Amino acid sequence: AQSVAQPEDQVNVAEGNPLTVKCTYSVSGNPYLFWYVQYPNRGLQFLLKYITGDNLVKGSYGFEAEFNKSQTSFHLKKPSALVSDSALYFCAVRPYGQNFVFGPGTRLSVLP
Amino acid sequence: GAVVSQHPSRVICKSGTSVKIECRSLDFQATTMFWYRQFPKQSLMLMATSNEGSKATYEQGVEKDKFLINHASLTLSTLTVTSAHPEDSSFYICSASGYREDEQFFGPGTRLTVL
């Protein structure tokens, strides 16, 4: 079965420090990979995606993610966290020709 | 990026009534629209996929007679929760994709509360 894991329910980081939100997946073939952010009572906002090419993908708001095929991971990173980055982050994969599969989400809290 | 709207953003209704939620793609033609349900502190669960002009495809365990989906045009899909009950209270999110396989744009969500 296709699945996406985000091993941490919660990540706490101090403002100005680097942050990492982890994601691993188990799907067949070469899926498209995505990160979305959700603020309270809002829909999902697109951050970045990996389709093909360079393993390091740069996205919105200074976020980036690194695709690692051997580890089937797609961790989200940011060099310097802001308090306004505090939100719920979802990793998602889309196997070719199939629907999105979302991870359970990781709540990021950036402490001032 | 493309914009998807949902209306209403919040609705409170009495048990037994039906509620309609609209999802619109504002600046692109959505060949496919998706409806998700999200419980508090949980991920999105895909309920159904709809293509314009055809019947929706429901995920296993989703009652098609309870959650009626209509995708009448390339810019509008509606989800009707029929005879709503308190357990139907949730955050409903729609998304839409155009002709590109890798793109899916999400609406802001609708919070349904059934008393």
Side-chain angles (χ1 to χ4, degrees):
Chain A
Q2 326 264 34
S3 65
V4 177
Q6 292 179 241
E8 301 153 317
D9 292 336
Q10 174 96 29
V11 170
N12 298 320
V13 64
E15 187 175 28
N17 283 2
L19 69 88
T20 298
V21 183
K22 296 180 181 177
C23 172
T24 58
Y25 61 92
S26 175
V27 301
S28 55
N30 297 313
Y32 303 143
L33 303 167
F34 302 80
W35 275 101
Y36 290 88
V37 59
Q38 184 181 33
Y39 295 97
N41 294 311
R42 303 291 294 275
L44 273 64
Q45 295 179 31
F46 171 81
L47 278 180
L48 50 79
K49 66 183 176 185
Y50 173 84
I51 305 298
T52 186
D54 195 351
N55 290 345
L56 184 63
V57 179
K58 293 188 182 297
S60 307
Y61 313 119
F63 283 93
E64 58 189 28
E66 186 163 14
F67 170 61
N68 187 316
K69 187 173 183 177
S70 63
Q71 296 184 2
T72 60
S73 68
F74 191 54
H75 301 332
L76 180 71
K77 300 180 180 183
K78 186 172 182 180
S80 179
L82 300 173
V83 173
S84 57
D85 292 331
S86 299
L88 192 56
Y89 290 81
F90 290 100
C91 178
V93 303
R94 187 170 190 179
Y96 184 76
Q98 300 182 42
N99 291 324
F100 275 63
V101 178
F102 285 86
T106 297
R107 185 164 300 281
L108 172 67
S109 291
V110 181
L111 309 174
Chain B
V3 179
V4 175
S5 70
Q6 273 184 250
H7 179 80
S9 58
R10 187 181 295 267
V11 58
I12 301 172
C13 69
K14 292 182 179 179
S15 184
T17 60
S18 294
V19 175
K20 179 185 284 188
I21 302 170
E22 291 187 350
C23 177
R24 293 181 184 272
S25 59
L26 299 184
D27 52 2
F28 70 104
Q29 292 186 326
T31 55
T32 307
M33 285 187 168
F34 306 85
W35 286 96
Y36 294 86
R37 185 173 179 176
Q38 185 181 29
F39 290 103
K41 300 184 179 181
Q42 294 190 29
S43 189
L44 280 71
M45 300 297 295
L46 180 65
M47 298 174 67
T49 304
S50 71
N51 294 296
E52 183 262 340
S54 62
K55 289 184 178 180
T57 301
Y58 289 81
E59 295 298 298
Q60 192 172 10
V62 178
E63 298 176 59
K64 57 184 66 178
D65 293 331
K66 181 162 187 66
F67 298 100
L68 300 178
I69 292 172
N70 183 278
H71 192 162
S73 74
L74 284 172
T75 59
L76 174 64
S77 177
T78 59
L79 167 68
T80 301
V81 183
T82 62
S83 186
H85 290 286
E87 57 266 28
D88 298 325
S89 298
S90 191
F91 195 53
Y92 292 87
I93 301 175
C94 76
S95 70
S97 64
Y99 296 102
R100 283 186 57 169
E101 176 79 11
D102 59 313
E103 292 183 337
Q104 187 171 152
F105 305 99
F106 288 82
T110 297
R111 182 159 302 282
L112 170 63
T113 302
V114 184
L115 303 176

PDB file of all heavy atoms in Angstrom, chain A residues 23-52:
ATOM      1  N   CYS A  23      10.142  13.495   6.238  1.00  0.00           N
ATOM      2  CA  CYS A  23       9.124  12.777   5.468  1.00  0.00           C
ATOM      3  C   CYS A  23       9.769  11.593   4.764  1.00  0.00           C
ATOM      4  O   CYS A  23      10.802  11.757   4.104  1.00  0.00           O
ATOM      5  CB  CYS A  23       8.484  13.706   4.443  1.00  0.00           C
ATOM      6  SG  CYS A  23       7.366  12.874   3.278  1.00  0.00           S
ATOM      7  N   THR A  24       9.182  10.431   4.906  1.00  0.00           N
ATOM      8  CA  THR A  24       9.588   9.278   4.121  1.00  0.00           C
ATOM      9  C   THR A  24       8.339   8.695   3.480  1.00  0.00           C
ATOM     10  O   THR A  24       7.225   8.893   3.962  1.00  0.00           O
ATOM     11  CB  THR A  24      10.273   8.198   4.972  1.00  0.00           C
ATOM     12  OG1 THR A  24       9.377   7.790   6.013  1.00  0.00           O
ATOM     13  CG2 THR A  24      11.564   8.727   5.588  1.00  0.00           C
ATOM     14  N   TYR A  25       8.540   7.970   2.400  1.00  0.00           N
ATOM     15  CA  TYR A  25       7.376   7.469   1.675  1.00  0.00           C
ATOM     16  C   TYR A  25       7.619   6.054   1.188  1.00  0.00           C
ATOM     17  O   TYR A  25       8.757   5.585   1.076  1.00  0.00           O
ATOM     18  CB  TYR A  25       7.047   8.393   0.493  1.00  0.00           C
ATOM     19  CG  TYR A  25       8.153   8.494  -0.516  1.00  0.00           C
ATOM     20  CD1 TYR A  25       8.214   7.640  -1.617  1.00  0.00           C
ATOM     21  CD2 TYR A  25       9.166   9.437  -0.367  1.00  0.00           C
ATOM     22  CE1 TYR A  25       9.242   7.724  -2.527  1.00  0.00           C
ATOM     23  CE2 TYR A  25      10.198   9.528  -1.283  1.00  0.00           C
ATOM     24  CZ  TYR A  25      10.230   8.665  -2.351  1.00  0.00           C
ATOM     25  OH  TYR A  25      11.257   8.752  -3.256  1.00  0.00           O
ATOM     26  N   SER A  26       6.522   5.394   0.904  1.00  0.00           N
ATOM     27  CA  SER A  26       6.574   4.044   0.364  1.00  0.00           C
ATOM     28  C   SER A  26       5.526   3.954  -0.736  1.00  0.00           C
ATOM     29  O   SER A  26       4.334   3.779  -0.468  1.00  0.00           O
ATOM     30  CB  SER A  26       6.281   3.013   1.460  1.00  0.00           C
ATOM     31  OG  SER A  26       6.217   1.707   0.918  1.00  0.00           O
ATOM     32  N   VAL A  27       5.964   4.166  -1.954  1.00  0.00           N
ATOM     33  CA  VAL A  27       5.068   4.072  -3.105  1.00  0.00           C
ATOM     34  C   VAL A  27       5.817   3.399  -4.231  1.00  0.00           C
ATOM     35  O   VAL A  27       7.042   3.328  -4.233  1.00  0.00           O
ATOM     36  CB  VAL A  27       4.565   5.453  -3.571  1.00  0.00           C
ATOM     37  CG1 VAL A  27       3.821   6.172  -2.461  1.00  0.00           C
ATOM     38  CG2 VAL A  27       5.702   6.307  -4.066  1.00  0.00           C
ATOM     39  N   SER A  28       5.072   2.921  -5.184  1.00  0.00           N
ATOM     40  CA  SER A  28       5.684   2.272  -6.340  1.00  0.00           C
ATOM     41  C   SER A  28       6.070   3.322  -7.370  1.00  0.00           C
ATOM     42  O   SER A  28       5.470   4.396  -7.452  1.00  0.00           O
ATOM     43  CB  SER A  28       4.708   1.271  -6.950  1.00  0.00           C
ATOM     44  OG  SER A  28       3.491   1.922  -7.268  1.00  0.00           O
ATOM     45  N   GLY A  29       7.092   3.015  -8.143  1.00  0.00           N
ATOM     46  CA  GLY A  29       7.499   3.904  -9.220  1.00  0.00           C
ATOM     47  C   GLY A  29       8.175   5.164  -8.726  1.00  0.00           C
ATOM     48  O   GLY A  29       8.722   5.219  -7.619  1.00  0.00           O
ATOM     49  N   ASN A  30       8.149   6.167  -9.549  1.00  0.00           N
ATOM     50  CA  ASN A  30       8.781   7.450  -9.231  1.00  0.00           C
ATOM     51  C   ASN A  30       7.695   8.507  -9.050  1.00  0.00           C
ATOM     52  O   ASN A  30       7.228   9.107 -10.003  1.00  0.00           O
ATOM     53  CB  ASN A  30       9.731   7.862 -10.360  1.00  0.00           C
ATOM     54  CG  ASN A  30      10.865   6.871 -10.531  1.00  0.00           C
ATOM     55  OD1 ASN A  30      11.482   6.474  -9.552  1.00  0.00           O
ATOM     56  ND2 ASN A  30      11.120   6.484 -11.753  1.00  0.00           N
ATOM     57  N   PRO A  31       7.296   8.732  -7.816  1.00  0.00           N
ATOM     58  CA  PRO A  31       6.176   9.657  -7.605  1.00  0.00           C
ATOM     59  C   PRO A  31       6.617  11.110  -7.648  1.00  0.00           C
ATOM     60  O   PRO A  31       7.796  11.433  -7.518  1.00  0.00           O
ATOM     61  CB  PRO A  31       5.711   9.286  -6.197  1.00  0.00           C
ATOM     62  CG  PRO A  31       6.974   8.851  -5.505  1.00  0.00           C
ATOM     63  CD  PRO A  31       7.795   8.155  -6.557  1.00  0.00           C
ATOM     64  N   TYR A  32       5.647  11.975  -7.787  1.00  0.00           N
ATOM     65  CA  TYR A  32       5.858  13.401  -7.554  1.00  0.00           C
ATOM     66  C   TYR A  32       5.775  13.613  -6.042  1.00  0.00           C
ATOM     67  O   TYR A  32       4.977  12.982  -5.360  1.00  0.00           O
ATOM     68  CB  TYR A  32       4.793  14.238  -8.249  1.00  0.00           C
ATOM     69  CG  TYR A  32       4.690  14.016  -9.737  1.00  0.00           C
ATOM     70  CD1 TYR A  32       3.455  14.028 -10.380  1.00  0.00           C
ATOM     71  CD2 TYR A  32       5.827  13.814 -10.520  1.00  0.00           C
ATOM     72  CE1 TYR A  32       3.345  13.839 -11.753  1.00  0.00           C
ATOM     73  CE2 TYR A  32       5.719  13.618 -11.885  1.00  0.00           C
ATOM     74  CZ  TYR A  32       4.475  13.621 -12.501  1.00  0.00           C
ATOM     75  OH  TYR A  32       4.380  13.440 -13.849  1.00  0.00           O
ATOM     76  N   LEU A  33       6.579  14.536  -5.525  1.00  0.00           N
ATOM     77  CA  LEU A  33       6.636  14.764  -4.078  1.00  0.00           C
ATOM     78  C   LEU A  33       6.323  16.220  -3.782  1.00  0.00           C
ATOM     79  O   LEU A  33       6.773  17.111  -4.518  1.00  0.00           O
ATOM     80  CB  LEU A  33       8.033  14.409  -3.555  1.00  0.00           C
ATOM     81  CG  LEU A  33       8.503  12.988  -3.851  1.00  0.00           C
ATOM     82  CD1 LEU A  33       9.996  12.850  -3.588  1.00  0.00           C
ATOM     83  CD2 LEU A  33       7.736  11.987  -3.010  1.00  0.00           C
ATOM     84  N   PHE A  34       5.595  16.456  -2.703  1.00  0.00           N
ATOM     85  CA  PHE A  34       5.123  17.807  -2.392  1.00  0.00           C
ATOM     86  C   PHE A  34       5.238  18.094  -0.899  1.00  0.00           C
ATOM     87  O   PHE A  34       5.199  17.192  -0.070  1.00  0.00           O
ATOM     88  CB  PHE A  34       3.641  17.968  -2.762  1.00  0.00           C
ATOM     89  CG  PHE A  34       3.318  17.703  -4.207  1.00  0.00           C
ATOM     90  CD1 PHE A  34       3.183  16.412  -4.678  1.00  0.00           C
ATOM     91  CD2 PHE A  34       3.143  18.757  -5.083  1.00  0.00           C
ATOM     92  CE1 PHE A  34       2.889  16.157  -6.011  1.00  0.00           C
ATOM     93  CE2 PHE A  34       2.843  18.525  -6.421  1.00  0.00           C
ATOM     94  CZ  PHE A  34       2.713  17.224  -6.875  1.00  0.00           C
ATOM     95  N   TRP A  35       5.335  19.375  -0.593  1.00  0.00           N
ATOM     96  CA  TRP A  35       5.137  19.862   0.763  1.00  0.00           C
ATOM     97  C   TRP A  35       4.085  20.972   0.725  1.00  0.00           C
ATOM     98  O   TRP A  35       4.117  21.861  -0.138  1.00  0.00           O
ATOM     99  CB  TRP A  35       6.426  20.419   1.360  1.00  0.00           C
ATOM    100  CG  TRP A  35       7.301  19.375   1.979  1.00  0.00           C
ATOM    101  CD1 TRP A  35       8.413  18.796   1.463  1.00  0.00           C
ATOM    102  CD2 TRP A  35       7.124  18.783   3.282  1.00  0.00           C
ATOM    103  NE1 TRP A  35       8.933  17.884   2.336  1.00  0.00           N
ATOM    104  CE2 TRP A  35       8.166  17.855   3.468  1.00  0.00           C
ATOM    105  CE3 TRP A  35       6.187  18.954   4.315  1.00  0.00           C
ATOM    106  CZ2 TRP A  35       8.310  17.098   4.634  1.00  0.00           C
ATOM    107  CZ3 TRP A  35       6.319  18.208   5.464  1.00  0.00           C
ATOM    108  CH2 TRP A  35       7.371  17.285   5.615  1.00  0.00           C
ATOM    109  N   TYR A  36       3.174  20.880   1.706  1.00  0.00           N
ATOM    110  CA  TYR A  36       2.138  21.898   1.872  1.00  0.00           C
ATOM    111  C   TYR A  36       2.166  22.392   3.314  1.00  0.00           C
ATOM    112  O   TYR A  36       2.546  21.656   4.230  1.00  0.00           O
ATOM    113  CB  TYR A  36       0.752  21.332   1.583  1.00  0.00           C
ATOM    114  CG  TYR A  36       0.484  21.003   0.134  1.00  0.00           C
ATOM    115  CD1 TYR A  36       0.808  19.754  -0.383  1.00  0.00           C
ATOM    116  CD2 TYR A  36      -0.087  21.938  -0.721  1.00  0.00           C
ATOM    117  CE1 TYR A  36       0.558  19.445  -1.713  1.00  0.00           C
ATOM    118  CE2 TYR A  36      -0.342  21.646  -2.051  1.00  0.00           C
ATOM    119  CZ  TYR A  36      -0.013  20.395  -2.535  1.00  0.00           C
ATOM    120  OH  TYR A  36      -0.260  20.100  -3.856  1.00  0.00           O
ATOM    121  N   VAL A  37       1.698  23.623   3.513  1.00  0.00           N
ATOM    122  CA  VAL A  37       1.590  24.176   4.854  1.00  0.00           C
ATOM    123  C   VAL A  37       0.137  24.565   5.091  1.00  0.00           C
ATOM    124  O   VAL A  37      -0.554  25.009   4.163  1.00  0.00           O
ATOM    125  CB  VAL A  37       2.520  25.400   5.053  1.00  0.00           C
ATOM    126  CG1 VAL A  37       2.207  26.513   4.067  1.00  0.00           C
ATOM    127  CG2 VAL A  37       2.449  25.917   6.485  1.00  0.00           C
ATOM    128  N   GLN A  38      -0.318  24.359   6.322  1.00  0.00           N
ATOM    129  CA  GLN A  38      -1.695  24.701   6.663  1.00  0.00           C
ATOM    130  C   GLN A  38      -1.710  25.543   7.934  1.00  0.00           C
ATOM    131  O   GLN A  38      -1.212  25.121   8.976  1.00  0.00           O
ATOM    132  CB  GLN A  38      -2.541  23.448   6.863  1.00  0.00           C
ATOM    133  CG  GLN A  38      -4.013  23.735   7.125  1.00  0.00           C
ATOM    134  CD  GLN A  38      -4.824  22.486   7.353  1.00  0.00           C
ATOM    135  OE1 GLN A  38      -4.338  21.510   7.905  1.00  0.00           O
ATOM    136  NE2 GLN A  38      -6.084  22.501   6.922  1.00  0.00           N
ATOM    137  N   TYR A  39      -2.307  26.716   7.830  1.00  0.00           N
ATOM    138  CA  TYR A  39      -2.518  27.556   8.986  1.00  0.00           C
ATOM    139  C   TYR A  39      -3.902  27.277   9.553  1.00  0.00           C
ATOM    140  O   TYR A  39      -4.765  26.748   8.838  1.00  0.00           O
ATOM    141  CB  TYR A  39      -2.341  29.031   8.611  1.00  0.00           C
ATOM    142  CG  TYR A  39      -0.921  29.339   8.197  1.00  0.00           C
ATOM    143  CD1 TYR A  39      -0.542  29.369   6.848  1.00  0.00           C
ATOM    144  CD2 TYR A  39       0.070  29.563   9.153  1.00  0.00           C
ATOM    145  CE1 TYR A  39       0.765  29.613   6.477  1.00  0.00           C
ATOM    146  CE2 TYR A  39       1.381  29.816   8.784  1.00  0.00           C
ATOM    147  CZ  TYR A  39       1.715  29.822   7.438  1.00  0.00           C
ATOM    148  OH  TYR A  39       3.020  30.053   7.075  1.00  0.00           O
ATOM    149  N   PRO A  40      -4.165  27.613  10.811  1.00  0.00           N
ATOM    150  CA  PRO A  40      -5.447  27.261  11.451  1.00  0.00           C
ATOM    151  C   PRO A  40      -6.661  27.678  10.633  1.00  0.00           C
ATOM    152  O   PRO A  40      -6.741  28.810  10.149  1.00  0.00           O
ATOM    153  CB  PRO A  40      -5.368  28.006  12.786  1.00  0.00           C
ATOM    154  CG  PRO A  40      -3.913  28.093  13.084  1.00  0.00           C
ATOM    155  CD  PRO A  40      -3.252  28.290  11.742  1.00  0.00           C
ATOM    156  N   ASN A  41      -7.568  26.739  10.469  1.00  0.00           N
ATOM    157  CA  ASN A  41      -8.840  26.968   9.760  1.00  0.00           C
ATOM    158  C   ASN A  41      -8.641  27.439   8.322  1.00  0.00           C
ATOM    159  O   ASN A  41      -9.481  28.155   7.779  1.00  0.00           O
ATOM    160  CB  ASN A  41      -9.706  27.970  10.523  1.00  0.00           C
ATOM    161  CG  ASN A  41     -10.157  27.408  11.857  1.00  0.00           C
ATOM    162  OD1 ASN A  41     -10.648  26.294  11.932  1.00  0.00           O
ATOM    163  ND2 ASN A  41      -9.930  28.160  12.911  1.00  0.00           N
ATOM    164  N   ARG A  42      -7.553  27.043   7.725  1.00  0.00           N
ATOM    165  CA  ARG A  42      -7.293  27.398   6.335  1.00  0.00           C
ATOM    166  C   ARG A  42      -7.000  26.133   5.525  1.00  0.00           C
ATOM    167  O   ARG A  42      -6.689  25.076   6.065  1.00  0.00           O
ATOM    168  CB  ARG A  42      -6.077  28.340   6.261  1.00  0.00           C
ATOM    169  CG  ARG A  42      -6.208  29.605   7.072  1.00  0.00           C
ATOM    170  CD  ARG A  42      -7.248  30.545   6.483  1.00  0.00           C
ATOM    171  NE  ARG A  42      -6.862  31.048   5.191  1.00  0.00           N
ATOM    172  CZ  ARG A  42      -6.090  32.111   5.025  1.00  0.00           C
ATOM    173  NH1 ARG A  42      -5.603  32.760   6.052  1.00  0.00           N
ATOM    174  NH2 ARG A  42      -5.804  32.515   3.808  1.00  0.00           N
ATOM    175  N   GLY A  43      -7.101  26.272   4.213  1.00  0.00           N
ATOM    176  CA  GLY A  43      -6.726  25.164   3.345  1.00  0.00           C
ATOM    177  C   GLY A  43      -5.223  25.025   3.249  1.00  0.00           C
ATOM    178  O   GLY A  43      -4.472  25.704   3.948  1.00  0.00           O
ATOM    179  N   LEU A  44      -4.794  24.136   2.401  1.00  0.00           N
ATOM    180  CA  LEU A  44      -3.361  23.883   2.248  1.00  0.00           C
ATOM    181  C   LEU A  44      -2.744  24.859   1.255  1.00  0.00           C
ATOM    182  O   LEU A  44      -3.322  25.148   0.209  1.00  0.00           O
ATOM    183  CB  LEU A  44      -3.125  22.458   1.751  1.00  0.00           C
ATOM    184  CG  LEU A  44      -3.031  21.377   2.821  1.00  0.00           C
ATOM    185  CD1 LEU A  44      -4.331  21.234   3.565  1.00  0.00           C
ATOM    186  CD2 LEU A  44      -2.626  20.051   2.196  1.00  0.00           C
ATOM    187  N   GLN A  45      -1.568  25.320   1.606  1.00  0.00           N
ATOM    188  CA  GLN A  45      -0.823  26.185   0.692  1.00  0.00           C
ATOM    189  C   GLN A  45       0.397  25.429   0.186  1.00  0.00           C
ATOM    190  O   GLN A  45       1.123  24.814   0.964  1.00  0.00           O
ATOM    191  CB  GLN A  45      -0.362  27.453   1.409  1.00  0.00           C
ATOM    192  CG  GLN A  45      -1.491  28.353   1.868  1.00  0.00           C
ATOM    193  CD  GLN A  45      -0.971  29.575   2.589  1.00  0.00           C
ATOM    194  OE1 GLN A  45       0.111  30.064   2.282  1.00  0.00           O
ATOM    195  NE2 GLN A  45      -1.733  30.069   3.535  1.00  0.00           N
ATOM    196  N   PHE A  46       0.613  25.503  -1.100  1.00  0.00           N
ATOM    197  CA  PHE A  46       1.729  24.824  -1.735  1.00  0.00           C
ATOM    198  C   PHE A  46       3.046  25.485  -1.344  1.00  0.00           C
ATOM    199  O   PHE A  46       3.171  26.712  -1.358  1.00  0.00           O
ATOM    200  CB  PHE A  46       1.527  24.883  -3.250  1.00  0.00           C
ATOM    201  CG  PHE A  46       2.683  24.418  -4.064  1.00  0.00           C
ATOM    202  CD1 PHE A  46       2.897  23.070  -4.268  1.00  0.00           C
ATOM    203  CD2 PHE A  46       3.554  25.330  -4.640  1.00  0.00           C
ATOM    204  CE1 PHE A  46       3.963  22.637  -5.040  1.00  0.00           C
ATOM    205  CE2 PHE A  46       4.619  24.906  -5.410  1.00  0.00           C
ATOM    206  CZ  PHE A  46       4.823  23.556  -5.612  1.00  0.00           C
ATOM    207  N   LEU A  47       4.033  24.651  -0.971  1.00  0.00           N
ATOM    208  CA  LEU A  47       5.365  25.151  -0.657  1.00  0.00           C
ATOM    209  C   LEU A  47       6.359  24.833  -1.766  1.00  0.00           C
ATOM    210  O   LEU A  47       7.092  25.705  -2.224  1.00  0.00           O
ATOM    211  CB  LEU A  47       5.879  24.549   0.648  1.00  0.00           C
ATOM    212  CG  LEU A  47       5.414  25.172   1.957  1.00  0.00           C
ATOM    213  CD1 LEU A  47       6.040  24.426   3.129  1.00  0.00           C
ATOM    214  CD2 LEU A  47       5.760  26.651   2.023  1.00  0.00           C
ATOM    215  N   LEU A  48       6.417  23.556  -2.138  1.00  0.00           N
ATOM    216  CA  LEU A  48       7.376  23.134  -3.165  1.00  0.00           C
ATOM    217  C   LEU A  48       7.033  21.726  -3.631  1.00  0.00           C
ATOM    218  O   LEU A  48       6.234  21.028  -3.024  1.00  0.00           O
ATOM    219  CB  LEU A  48       8.813  23.186  -2.624  1.00  0.00           C
ATOM    220  CG  LEU A  48       9.114  22.524  -1.292  1.00  0.00           C
ATOM    221  CD1 LEU A  48       9.252  21.029  -1.410  1.00  0.00           C
ATOM    222  CD2 LEU A  48      10.390  23.106  -0.678  1.00  0.00           C
ATOM    223  N   LYS A  49       7.688  21.357  -4.726  1.00  0.00           N
ATOM    224  CA  LYS A  49       7.469  20.019  -5.267  1.00  0.00           C
ATOM    225  C   LYS A  49       8.739  19.521  -5.938  1.00  0.00           C
ATOM    226  O   LYS A  49       9.586  20.319  -6.389  1.00  0.00           O
ATOM    227  CB  LYS A  49       6.317  20.027  -6.280  1.00  0.00           C
ATOM    228  CG  LYS A  49       6.614  20.831  -7.536  1.00  0.00           C
ATOM    229  CD  LYS A  49       5.413  20.851  -8.470  1.00  0.00           C
ATOM    230  CE  LYS A  49       5.680  21.745  -9.687  1.00  0.00           C
ATOM    231  NZ  LYS A  49       4.484  21.874 -10.565  1.00  0.00           N
ATOM    232  N   TYR A  50       8.855  18.205  -5.995  1.00  0.00           N
ATOM    233  CA  TYR A  50       9.927  17.559  -6.752  1.00  0.00           C
ATOM    234  C   TYR A  50       9.269  16.690  -7.824  1.00  0.00           C
ATOM    235  O   TYR A  50       8.438  15.822  -7.517  1.00  0.00           O
ATOM    236  CB  TYR A  50      10.805  16.699  -5.850  1.00  0.00           C
ATOM    237  CG  TYR A  50      11.806  15.891  -6.632  1.00  0.00           C
ATOM    238  CD1 TYR A  50      13.021  16.459  -7.017  1.00  0.00           C
ATOM    239  CD2 TYR A  50      11.535  14.578  -7.019  1.00  0.00           C
ATOM    240  CE1 TYR A  50      13.936  15.734  -7.758  1.00  0.00           C
ATOM    241  CE2 TYR A  50      12.443  13.849  -7.761  1.00  0.00           C
ATOM    242  CZ  TYR A  50      13.636  14.434  -8.132  1.00  0.00           C
ATOM    243  OH  TYR A  50      14.540  13.722  -8.882  1.00  0.00           O
ATOM    244  N   ILE A  51       9.693  16.944  -9.044  1.00  0.00           N
ATOM    245  CA  ILE A  51       9.208  16.122 -10.150  1.00  0.00           C
ATOM    246  C   ILE A  51      10.354  15.296 -10.697  1.00  0.00           C
ATOM    247  O   ILE A  51      10.288  14.073 -10.784  1.00  0.00           O
ATOM    248  CB  ILE A  51       8.600  16.987 -11.275  1.00  0.00           C
ATOM    249  CG1 ILE A  51       7.498  17.890 -10.714  1.00  0.00           C
ATOM    250  CG2 ILE A  51       8.061  16.113 -12.399  1.00  0.00           C
ATOM    251  CD1 ILE A  51       6.331  17.144 -10.128  1.00  0.00           C
ATOM    252  N   THR A  52      11.425  15.976 -11.052  1.00  0.00           N
ATOM    253  CA  THR A  52      12.611  15.323 -11.568  1.00  0.00           C
ATOM    254  C   THR A  52      13.746  16.328 -11.508  1.00  0.00           C
ATOM    255  O   THR A  52      13.542  17.500 -11.202  1.00  0.00           O
ATOM    256  CB  THR A  52      12.382  14.836 -13.010  1.00  0.00           C
ATOM    257  OG1 THR A  52      13.516  14.074 -13.431  1.00  0.00           O
ATOM    258  CG2 THR A  52      12.199  16.007 -13.962  1.00  0.00           C
TER     259      THR A  52
END
